[in-house]
Amino acid sequence: MFNKRNRWIITLIMAIASLAFLAAFVGPFFVAVFQQQPSAASSSPTPSAVASAGQDDLEAQARGYELVLQREPDNETALRGLLEVRIQQGNIEAAIPPLEKLAQLRPDQADYMVLLAQVKQRSGDREGAAQAYRTILTTQPGNINALQGLSDLLVAEGRPQAAIALLQDTLQTAGQANQVQPGSVDVISVQLLLGQIYAEQQRYDEAIAVYDQAIAANAQDFRPLLGKAIVLQAQGKKADAEPLFASAAALAPPQFKDQINQIAAGQNPNPVNSPDGAASPSPSAEASPSPAPSTTP
């Protein structure tokens, strides 16, 4: 059976489009909010007065930014500052208004809208998240963050066929889109997302067919080799998977080689650093959505 424990590493390595904007802008604060886990009490707990003082300081900063925005509602520096403070406070709901304003002011920066969609997902607004992703795809049909976010959302809602149709449609129109704007749709990246969904649904033959297409298009790309190897491994075809794992590890950037070898050995891979040096989330902290009420496509 396809090992979903490895999905975080597969997504990081294969689905290729971590939120660089998120890591560069609000990285440690935003990720900390999304990864919050109950923890054991420390042997020397922080005094509540210190924690309260920290929150008071953050709220004072928020009020300062809000005062600026009352006078200058389009001040991007104040909006970004308020967003960061709200995230540090763990107040995801309050992060939505400045994000919405930033997305409105900077429609050329799709990362704001992607981040907005992620925040809405986490706050339980699945409809709003889906709409944000689709807004991006209207003007950037190949935006891999939006494609991954929306397809994950649909799969989590028990609608894998809708996710498959989304990615298939993207592939069918990729040629035309790339003629209008060269490189606007990364075909192999979309194929990798499609193959991953097929694999998770145990539609292994279809997953392998997609990976084979990607391998034929670029034999030097380690990602479809890895995807096919994982599918073969899930089917118990270890002898067929081993040479593919070896080829993928040989072609992969150095920071991924150990993790690929661990997957090949049937182990749960250790966290890997992304190309920009930010540590990837642990499996339990993955930001993929959990099942929720139906979202209208």
Side-chain angles (χ1 to χ4, degrees):
M1 188 173 182
F2 187 75
N3 187 354
K4 291 189 178 182
R5 291 183 307 165
N6 289 340
R7 190 181 191 279
W8 68 275
I9 183 68
I10 296 166
T11 297
L12 178 67
I13 295 177
M14 291 165 46
I16 31 344
S18 62
L19 298 178
F21 168 79
L22 184 152
F25 173 37
V26 293
F29 308 114
F30 193 76
V31 171
V33 171
F34 277 11
Q35 292 185 359
Q36 283 176 352
Q37 302 284 335
S39 58
S42 168
S43 58
S44 55
T46 304
S48 59
V50 174
S52 176
Q55 285 298 317
D56 288 346
D57 182 60
L58 288 173
E59 190 57 38
Q61 292 180 48
R63 286 196 299 270
Y65 288 125
E66 287 171 341
L67 287 173
V68 173
L69 291 170
Q70 287 177 12
R71 302 189 304 269
E72 306 171 48
D74 294 345
N75 187 309
E76 291 187 34
T77 299
L79 287 166
R80 287 166 64 96
L82 180 59
L83 170 61
E84 184 171 333
V85 168
R86 292 310 188 196
I87 288 170
Q88 288 185 66
Q89 291 177 311
N91 192 342
I92 297 301
E93 289 282 353
I96 292 176
L99 255 181
E100 288 178 328
K101 186 65 174 180
L102 285 165
Q104 176 188 347
L105 291 172
R106 299 300 298 270
D108 57 313
Q109 290 193 9
D111 289 320
Y112 280 123
M113 188 64 77
V114 171
L115 191 55
L116 176 61
Q118 292 283 339
V119 170
K120 286 192 172 186
Q121 258 178 260
R122 283 290 170 169
S123 68
D125 183 5
R126 301 296 177 128
E127 190 74 25
Q131 183 57 48
Y133 286 131
R134 293 191 183 281
T135 297
I136 299 166
L137 295 173
T138 299
T139 56
Q140 299 181 29
N143 186 296
I144 200 68
N145 283 322
L147 286 169
Q148 183 175 352
L150 183 54
S151 61
D152 281 351
L153 184 62
L154 292 168
V155 169
E157 291 179 336
R159 302 172 60 197
Q161 194 55 47
I164 289 168
L166 167 70
L167 298 174
Q168 287 176 332
D169 289 346
T170 303
L171 290 171
Q172 289 173 2
T173 59
Q176 181 180 355
N178 285 335
Q179 282 184 345
V180 175
Q181 184 179 352
S184 60
V185 179
D186 183 342
V187 172
I188 290 181
S189 293
V190 179
Q191 288 173 322
L192 292 169
L193 287 177
L194 179 58
Q196 180 175 292
I197 292 175
Y198 278 139
E200 289 180 348
Q201 300 303 309
Q202 299 182 47
R203 295 166 62 170
Y204 296 135
D205 290 344
E206 291 163 290
I208 288 175
V210 171
Y211 291 137
D212 281 341
Q213 291 173 8
I215 292 167
N218 187 350
Q220 299 305 305
D221 191 327
F222 78 98
R223 299 170 300 164
L225 290 167
L226 175 61
K228 183 176 180 180
I230 290 171
V231 170
L232 291 171
Q233 183 187 62
Q235 293 178 296
K237 300 178 180 179
K238 184 177 179 181
D240 294 331
E242 285 178 350
L244 293 173
F245 276 124
S247 296
L251 291 171
Q255 66 265 34
F256 296 134
K257 292 182 185 295
D258 288 343
Q259 285 73 27
I260 292 173
N261 291 331
Q262 288 166 353
I263 295 173
Q267 302 170 3
N268 195 33
N270 294 322
V272 63
N273 284 341
S274 62
D276 63 4
S280 68
S282 64
S284 63
E286 181 190 356
S288 62
S290 56
S294 175
T295 299
T296 303

